[in-house]
Amino acid sequence: MSSRLIKPITIEREETGAALGTGTLVNLVRSGSNLTLQEGTKVEDTLDATSSGSTSRISVRQVLTTKQAIRLIQVKYKAMLSGSHKLIIWNSGRTVKLHEQSASISSAGWYTFTLTTPVILSNATTYQVEFERPGSGAYRQESRYSGTLWDGSGVYFEDELYSNWTLAMGLIHEPYKTSGYRIWPVLNSSACREVEGSLVQFAKNQPAGTELKVYALKTTSDIEPDPADPNWAEQTSGQPLTVISVGEDLDGKRIWTKIAAST
């Protein structure tokens, strides 16, 4: 009489790097090997000028303090003269250069620097935004500006500070969506006739002020489930899946995984 050795089947699922682009993404986008919340509608915060300043000095710098965290994508600036202009964004002490970009302005008036790389400005933090053009000045407002995104805290004409002046300039940013989710392609678990055990493991790399949760759901269909289905169960890394039980027959069952991000 012959005997057979029946070995248990282990199903492993690991997705990193390029695999992040698979599955359903809602309000999330792939950025390299990371997932990040999508950006929303552009928001502009701009001050026009009622009077102009005239100076032969090389540069002017707006001192500003942010009122919220900003993913800065554009800076508007009202130039007095045409020619080659340069935008530089500094930290408060002008010791760290966060961004530098040059542009040729064809005529006096408003010009928008579309940043080659977006700059993240932290909340309640002071920065200096510098505009350079030899021999030109910049429009200014004679009172301190308080906008939605930032407060004007004075203007440097080179190294001389005029605390009651604010340049005619603006910040344009795209706020992140407040929440998003991703549902991975379904895992067909029909090959498992009896559950011996399970384990879910994941690592979260998330900025402060954000939340990331991992959920699982068991169905009998290949149709992607409703992301708001109340049966989605939050999972804990290093613990067994809560949607299946030891001894359970998974014939015809499907296992779904979802991550939910919010800020």
Side-chain angles (χ1 to χ4, degrees):
M1 183 176 177
S2 62
S3 63
R4 291 185 304 164
L5 177 62
I6 302 177
K7 295 183 178 180
I9 297 174
T10 300
I11 301 173
E12 294 185 353
R13 180 173 192 155
E14 182 176 352
E15 297 193 41
T16 58
L20 286 173
T22 63
T24 301
L25 293 171
V26 175
N27 290 346
L28 288 173
V29 292
R30 185 178 149 193
S31 177
S33 61
N34 299 307
L35 292 177
T36 184
L37 287 168
Q38 283 183 333
E39 296 152 6
T41 306
K42 290 182 181 179
V43 177
E44 180 179 324
D45 198 46
T46 303
L47 171 68
D48 204 342
T50 57
S51 61
S52 62
S54 177
T55 176
S56 61
R57 293 172 181 170
I58 293 175
S59 68
V60 290
R61 302 195 309 274
Q62 175 67 60
V63 183
L64 63 87
T65 302
T66 55
K67 292 185 174 181
Q68 66 181 70
I70 300 172
R71 185 179 188 272
L72 190 63
I73 59 172
Q74 292 177 330
V75 176
K76 294 181 69 175
Y77 162 64
K78 201 163 190 179
M80 292 185 66
L81 299 173
S82 62
S84 178
H85 289 246
K86 182 184 292 184
L87 164 71
I88 306 175
I89 301 175
W90 299 90
N91 67 333
S92 60
R94 204 162 169 252
T95 57
V96 178
K97 188 181 297 184
L98 304 177
H99 185 84
E100 181 175 337
Q101 186 172 331
S102 297
S104 179
I105 297 178
S106 59
S107 60
W110 283 103
Y111 178 80
T112 299
F113 287 89
T114 298
L115 304 187
T116 52
T117 302
V119 175
I120 305 298
L121 304 182
S122 299
N123 178 38
T125 304
T126 300
Y127 298 92
Q128 292 192 35
V129 180
E130 181 173 4
F131 301 95
E132 286 187 0
R133 185 191 185 282
S136 76
Y139 287 93
R140 69 174 188 267
Q141 181 87 4
E142 292 291 347
S143 60
R144 187 171 180 270
Y145 174 65
S146 179
T148 304
L149 304 179
W150 57 280
D151 279 339
S153 305
V155 173
Y156 279 99
F157 285 108
E158 291 186 344
D159 293 322
E160 187 174 359
L161 176 65
Y162 293 78
S163 59
N164 65 327
W165 286 3
T166 302
L167 295 175
M169 59 165 284
L171 305 180
I172 301 173
H173 80 301
E174 289 181 337
Y176 291 112
K177 301 281 188 178
T178 56
S179 63
Y181 67 86
R182 179 201 197 277
I183 298 178
W184 271 270
V186 67
L187 174 63
N188 187 336
S189 56
S190 293
C192 183
R193 289 293 184 266
E194 183 178 339
V195 176
E196 186 177 273
S198 66
L199 175 67
V200 57
Q201 293 191 100
F202 50 86
K204 296 190 289 187
N205 179 9
Q206 60 191 88
T210 65
E211 187 174 63
L212 182 67
K213 294 183 177 181
V214 178
Y215 296 85
L217 178 68
K218 180 179 63 182
T219 72
T220 58
S221 172
D222 288 321
I223 298 175
E224 186 173 289
D226 184 344
D229 188 322
N231 293 313
W232 283 102
E234 186 178 353
Q235 304 299 302
T236 302
S237 183
Q239 298 295 316
L241 280 168
T242 62
V243 295
I244 60 177
S245 304
V246 174
E248 181 178 356
D249 185 346
L250 294 181
D251 185 25
K253 305 297 174 56
R254 306 290 187 268
I255 305 298
W256 300 86
T257 311
K258 178 185 74 171
I259 61 171
S262 61
T263 184

